[in-house]
Amino acid sequence: MGLRRRRHIATEGRRVTALHDEILDLGDETRTGHEDPTGDAVLLAALNSARTGRMGDIVRTIQADQDRIIRAPHRGVLVVEGGPGTGKTAVALHRAAYLLYEHRELLARRAVLIVGPNPAFLGYIGEVLPSLGETGVLLATVGELYPGVRTTRTDTPEAAAVKGAARMADVLADVVRDRQALPDPVIAIEHDREILMLDDGLVNVARERTRATGLAHNVAREHFEGHILNALTDMVAERIGTDPYDGSNLLDPSDITQIRDELAENPEVWSAIDRLWPRITPEQLVADFLAAPEGYLPDEDAAAIRRPVTRHWTVSDVPLLDEAAELLGEDDRLARERAERERQRQIAYAQGVLDVSYASRTYEFEDKEEDDPEASEVLSAHDIIDAERFAERQEEDDHRSAAERAAADRTWAFGHIIVDEAQELSPMAWRLLMRRSPTRSMTLVGDPAQTSEAGGVGSWADILEPYVEDRWEHTRLGVNYRTPAEIMDVAAAVVRAEHPGFEPPGSVRSTGVRPWIRAVDELPGAVAEAVRELTPDEGRVAVIAPRELHRALAARLDGVTAGAEPDLTQRTVLLDPRQAKGLEFDSVLVVEPGRYGTSDLYVALTRATQRLGVVHTEPLPKGLVDVA
């Protein structure tokens, strides 16, 4: 926009404490003397400042490569890849604010969905958009994207991989089809002292005609009911209406209709229909399938996901519930009937109010007419509104925001979706998200090198090609603003031990503080001592340890509770590597790194902005052995 420089003035009260000119036009050789010859002083000051446990906005430190991504065109899928500390999450949030500003009318009505890896992460970023003036956003984990379910429970890696595989869509479709049963061999229905026989041939015709509609299971049931009732009606009509001499049918259409209506009142008919084409809820279907997955999956996979019938859902179950809801649909006839009964009740009540008002007004005017002949000309409520309109005016308006309505509506179509740590989502989770973005307007941020979930897709092409083929843009952030060079060298060595060609993002700063690795004999006490050593005067320390060690470590750490959702505003927090994704702390202590996979260890080592320590009693992984 023709801007050559941006001047930052720092004040304390009314006193100017610093002044810095940031050059925006790199081709302009004019200098004011207020430039920082070693780099962007404002950026470096922000990077070196103590963390608060909450992400802040990056308005005053946005870099050119970040700004291009923030202002990228709205349409289509934009993939933002970047290693640890490249600011991809902050860029995604500012992109959300930018889009909400640029496309206010559309996105305020349809809302923006931001999907994060865990609740701690959503709490960490939760203040950024409100601080930028934007509230039309729904923040959620995958475990919160099915209305009525909020879960952080996780499966074993083996179970998560099975549940997240793309084939589960076909498996669940087979489960639904198997619920559309045939008689074995017949179902006998008593009607009007006669026995009507539903055999598998007759029912199969009804089933195939119903399937041919292409409707979801519960929605298609109405068609199946019609076919069965028609078949039974033909049976009765043939028995009672056939002329014994010429075989013609003596019944007229009104007789046929009466027979059908009588069958529709027979409980045995509906019992048979419920057996052959039952109404099913998504929760019921998935719970029953997980209790007995044999026959649908190989034995090893079935054993990995089998569990007793329960309503304690895991994060990996949520995409299965959503898929089941899509396959089943919702037969809303009963809901419509209830709504109509309630509407008629409200109208009747409104009519009663109007009648009372009219009677009271009539009595009043009869007294006044003798003194004032014009009194009878005054209109009452009864004269200007009928009961139906009066009832409608008493209905409560929906004052919820678009984000609140979206959270309660599984079929909501969002104006834009942002996914952080996108490489971790399973193929089934992507099916869920794509249903919520019919326009495929999405920003995906992540780093395939940090893929740690067993069901994660990892490759951008594998994620997107089933939905948009090659119609997506890819951009990369290559500068690490968070992690000092000394720490990044250690983290890179871990990955290079497995992938020799790995190139990490380049760090913009060096602190001169080397990470340390320490072998200890007694872990909890050593961890408590190391935390005291790493704790700065201000800022935050994260202890990243395997989940099975948390209880013992928490017992030695002041103010830390094992098993609770971490409070990131506390001076010391205890996390496992998956919980630490997307977060940053002044200091980090990594415990027993030999128990982590390469991706999890890479994540753990790159959370610190200042200091990093490692303690262990068990053998180190190869990358850290080389560093030590």
Side-chain angles (χ1 to χ4, degrees):
M1 299 178 68
L3 217 59
R4 292 186 298 160
R5 69 187 67 249
R6 175 167 54 184
R7 173 162 289 176
H8 299 261
I9 302 174
T11 63
E12 198 172 285
R14 296 186 57 81
R15 184 171 65 88
V16 175
T17 58
L19 187 147
H20 168 67
D21 280 356
E22 177 187 359
I23 300 172
L24 300 178
D25 180 1
L26 301 181
D28 185 353
E29 297 182 357
T30 304
R31 296 293 181 265
T32 63
H34 297 296
E35 298 85 7
D36 182 354
T38 63
D40 187 337
V42 175
L43 173 63
L44 293 177
L47 298 178
N48 285 313
S49 63
R51 306 296 120 172
T52 65
R54 292 287 181 263
M55 178 181 279
D57 70 65
I58 58 167
V59 168
R60 65 196 180 104
T61 61
I62 288 175
Q63 304 300 292
D65 58 342
Q66 298 172 329
D67 190 57
R68 282 191 293 271
I69 295 170
I70 291 170
R71 298 172 186 271
H74 171 219
R75 297 298 177 188
V77 177
L78 175 65
V79 173
V80 183
E81 183 178 329
T86 53
K88 54 187 181 294
T89 297
V91 166
L93 294 173
H94 281 260
R95 175 162 169 74
Y98 171 75
L99 293 176
L100 283 163
Y101 178 80
E102 284 288 297
H103 307 279
R104 173 75 57 192
E105 184 176 347
L106 170 66
L107 296 185
R109 185 173 66 253
R110 292 173 54 185
V112 171
L113 170 64
I114 297 180
V115 180
N118 54 60
F121 173 84
L122 295 181
Y124 176 64
I125 68 172
E127 296 176 4
V128 175
L129 286 168
S131 74
L132 296 170
E134 301 298 347
T135 55
V137 178
L138 174 64
L139 280 74
T141 65
V142 171
E144 299 168 324
L145 287 178
Y146 184 84
V149 173
R150 294 176 66 89
T151 181
T152 59
R153 292 171 178 262
T154 57
D155 284 291
T156 64
E158 295 78 14
V162 173
K163 292 180 181 181
R167 63 176 171 167
M168 289 303 299
D170 293 331
V171 168
L172 289 175
D174 289 341
V175 174
V176 172
R177 289 175 67 87
D178 285 348
R179 293 298 188 93
Q180 300 160 4
L182 295 176
D184 184 21
V186 296
I187 295 177
I189 296 173
E190 183 178 350
H191 180 72
D192 197 19
R193 295 187 298 277
E194 296 277 348
I195 299 298
L196 306 177
M197 307 297 285
L198 279 177
D199 60 37
D200 58 352
L202 185 151
V203 173
N204 189 51
V205 170
R207 183 174 72 171
E208 293 308 311
R209 288 178 177 174
T210 303
R211 286 175 174 175
T213 64
L215 297 172
H217 173 89
N218 288 333
V219 180
R221 175 179 156 123
E222 184 175 3
H223 293 267
F224 184 77
E225 294 169 0
H227 290 308
I228 295 299
L229 284 170
N230 289 341
L232 293 172
T233 300
D234 291 343
M235 286 185 200
V236 175
E238 185 176 352
R239 290 186 184 183
I240 68 173
T242 301
D243 190 311
Y245 298 105
D246 61 11
S248 62
N249 196 300
L250 303 177
L251 303 178
D252 60 29
S254 63
D255 296 325
I256 301 296
T257 300
Q258 183 178 350
I259 292 170
R260 196 180 192 280
D261 290 344
E262 290 172 353
L263 283 165
E265 294 177 358
N266 186 335
E268 290 193 26
V269 172
W270 293 107
S271 175
I273 290 174
D274 286 339
R275 287 170 58 187
L276 299 170
W277 198 287
R279 289 188 180 93
I280 315 170
T281 66
E283 293 82 355
Q284 177 187 353
L285 185 82
V286 174
D288 290 348
F289 164 67
L290 293 176
E294 294 79 10
Y296 296 102
L297 293 168
D299 291 346
E300 184 178 352
D301 292 343
I305 67 170
R306 187 191 306 112
R307 70 171 187 231
V309 174
T310 178
R311 288 296 187 266
H312 295 299
W313 303 110
T314 68
V315 173
S316 299
D317 292 335
V318 168
L320 301 185
L321 290 168
D322 196 72
E323 188 74 27
E326 199 72 12
L327 291 167
L328 294 172
E330 183 178 355
D331 184 356
D332 62 352
R333 283 178 295 165
L334 295 178
R336 291 201 308 268
E337 290 171 5
R338 285 195 299 270
E340 180 60 25
R341 287 196 298 271
E342 175 62 18
R343 177 174 171 273
Q344 293 301 326
R345 190 188 69 79
Q346 293 285 358
I347 290 173
Y349 179 79
Q351 185 65 57
V353 171
L354 291 174
D355 290 346
V356 170
S357 171
Y358 179 73
S360 173
R361 195 74 169 166
T362 301
Y363 179 77
E364 180 183 347
F365 285 147
E366 284 175 352
D367 289 344
K368 289 184 177 180
E369 276 183 342
E370 295 181 4
D371 302 324
D372 183 5
E374 295 183 3
S376 61
E377 301 299 322
V378 178
L379 295 176
S380 69
H382 200 284
D383 299 314
I384 60 177
I385 191 170
D386 61 23
E388 185 170 354
R389 290 181 61 196
F390 186 35
E392 288 174 356
R393 289 190 178 187
Q394 308 313 307
E395 293 178 359
E396 293 186 7
D397 293 332
D398 189 346
H399 296 294
R400 294 176 299 170
S401 68
E404 290 170 329
R405 295 198 305 274
D409 185 352
R410 191 192 69 81
T411 62
W412 189 274
F414 288 90
H416 193 77
I417 295 180
I418 292 174
V419 185
D420 205 318
E421 304 293 348
Q423 77 282 349
E424 301 288 4
L425 269 60
S426 69
M428 289 301 292
W430 282 113
R431 287 177 65 87
L432 178 154
L433 285 179
M434 291 298 175
R435 290 188 193 104
R436 286 151 176 75
S437 180
T439 61
R440 304 295 189 258
S441 177
M442 309 178 86
T443 301
L444 313 181
V445 297
D447 179 15
Q450 298 184 63
T451 305
S452 55
E453 294 293 339
V457 177
S459 162
W460 301 122
D462 290 345
I463 291 170
L464 295 172
E465 282 179 1
Y467 304 101
V468 297
E469 296 179 345
D470 61 350
R471 300 186 304 276
W472 51 281
E473 288 187 53
H474 179 272
T475 186
R476 182 173 178 82
L477 292 168
V479 179
N480 187 332
Y481 299 101
R482 174 205 303 144
T483 316
E486 294 85 354
I487 296 177
M488 201 64 212
D489 289 344
V490 174
V494 168
V495 182
R496 286 198 186 107
E498 187 172 328
H499 305 287
F502 173 71
E503 285 298 328
S507 297
V508 299
R509 64 195 176 103
S510 173
T511 60
V513 179
R514 297 288 300 174
W516 49 260
I517 300 174
R518 187 177 297 162
V520 299
D521 296 324
E522 194 268 324
L523 201 59
V527 167
E529 181 181 343
V531 166
R532 288 191 291 270
E533 180 181 336
L534 290 169
T535 302
D537 294 334
E538 56 182 5
R540 303 293 183 272
V541 177
V543 177
I544 302 179
R547 181 63 67 92
E548 61 269 18
L549 299 178
H550 282 200
R551 187 176 300 278
L553 298 181
R556 300 293 295 272
L557 297 172
D558 293 337
V560 175
T561 304
E565 198 61 43
D567 180 359
L568 299 180
T569 64
Q570 295 297 312
R571 295 290 300 275
T572 303
V573 295
L574 180 60
L575 307 165
D576 64 35
R578 309 277 172 104
Q579 289 177 306
K581 276 186 174 292
L583 308 180
E584 60 182 32
F585 305 89
D586 299 278
S587 304
V588 169
L589 180 67
V590 177
V591 181
E592 294 294 15
R595 298 193 187 185
Y596 306 160
T598 299
S599 295
D600 281 344
L601 183 53
Y602 182 55
V603 169
L605 294 172
T606 54
R607 301 302 99 194
T609 65
Q610 302 293 337
R611 293 165 291 276
L612 172 68
V614 178
V615 297
H616 65 101
T617 61
E618 300 171 4
L620 292 170
K622 185 177 185 304
L624 287 185
V625 170
D626 295 341
V627 171

